[in-house]
Amino acid sequence: MAQTWKRLGIMGGTFDPIHYGHLVAAEGARHAFQLEKVIFIPAGRPPHKTGRKITDPHHRWIMTELAVASNPYFDTSSIEVERPGYSYTIDTVREVRNLYPGAEIFFITGADAVLEILNWKNVNELLEMCWFIAATRPGYPLGNLKRRLAGIDPEHVKRIIPMEVPALAISSTEIRARVREGRPIKYLLPEPVEAYILNRGLYK
């Protein structure tokens, strides 16, 4: 039987690779919104990233497991990795609600991802089912977010909450480029994840 949670966080993303920005955002949200658990869910086949090669989901899920292992409030789920077809947030939130009935769900993701929310599948239903925490870099122009959300029901917009995260200056794109160019990635992501990347020759 699944554990009963009252306030549950979901951290969604490609995690290619997961880094300290993701972890700091999740821990900040956990504290700010009094979340009892944050579950990291690596995307299986993200529909919005069909233009570039994504690292095998198995590798991304293992890296996520390694990254969160030291935090008792963090966990991972492979539901998107195991689900066939594209990974839609609406399907994931429905599945999490079925696993944890009665839990208030907070979906944590980057503000850049939220900017594309009007293109998401069943966005109004999604915003009825959970809160969104939009993690932003310091100095992020929140006006961009407000303008993009103008086409959404104002009651739903209230369920999207910006949260500034200093460590979001780190990016997965930069880490992949550093590996390709032979530059160091130490201190950008947890050591077990760094070791996994280097030992398996990812991003070369």
Side-chain angles (χ1 to χ4, degrees):
M1 185 174 178
Q3 174 70 48
T4 301
W5 308 112
K6 292 182 179 178
R7 295 170 73 86
L8 180 66
I10 301 173
M11 183 82 176
T14 312
F15 303 138
D16 194 16
I18 191 167
H19 53 68
Y20 280 131
H22 299 123
L23 299 172
V24 171
E27 182 66 8
R30 184 190 72 78
H31 179 265
F33 297 93
Q34 299 180 331
L35 307 178
E36 296 163 276
K37 201 78 169 177
V38 177
I39 302 175
F40 288 69
I41 304 180
R45 288 181 60 199
H48 59 292
K49 294 194 176 181
T50 55
R52 77 164 178 86
K53 183 179 178 182
I54 307 293
T55 304
D56 184 279
H58 180 71
H59 286 309
R60 293 186 285 107
W61 179 67
I62 290 176
M63 288 190 286
T64 305
E65 283 263 285
L66 292 170
V68 308
S70 63
N71 190 327
Y73 296 104
F74 289 174
D75 205 347
T76 66
S77 171
S78 59
I79 57 175
E80 287 198 5
V81 169
E82 295 169 1
R83 185 192 305 140
Y86 286 120
S87 300
Y88 291 105
T89 302
I90 184 75
D91 298 328
T92 299
V93 172
R94 284 174 182 153
E95 192 164 348
V96 171
R97 280 165 59 95
N98 288 334
L99 288 171
Y100 304 98
E104 190 172 16
I105 296 174
F106 294 76
F107 194 95
I108 309 160
T109 191
D112 290 339
V114 175
L115 282 175
E116 304 301 323
I117 200 167
L118 289 176
N119 299 324
W120 290 18
K121 181 181 176 182
N122 298 10
V123 63
N124 286 312
E125 180 186 354
L126 183 59
L127 288 167
E128 289 173 1
M129 292 196 300
C130 67
W131 295 84
F132 269 79
I133 302 171
T136 69
R137 297 177 298 274
Y140 184 90
L142 289 176
N144 290 351
L145 191 58
K146 291 175 182 176
R147 282 191 295 274
R148 187 61 64 91
L149 298 177
I152 295 178
D153 184 325
E155 289 303 309
H156 290 164
V157 172
K158 292 177 184 176
R159 296 175 68 83
I160 302 173
I161 308 166
M163 182 186 72
E164 189 173 284
V165 180
L168 277 190
I170 303 171
S171 79
S172 297
T173 302
E174 171 71 12
I175 290 170
R176 293 194 303 272
R178 282 177 166 269
V179 174
R180 280 196 306 272
E181 296 161 8
R183 293 188 287 152
I185 57 173
K186 191 174 289 295
Y187 308 125
L188 298 177
L189 69 184
E191 287 188 8
V193 178
E194 178 191 9
Y196 188 90
I197 291 169
L198 299 179
N199 289 340
R200 283 158 182 78
L202 300 183
Y203 310 125
K204 292 290 188 182

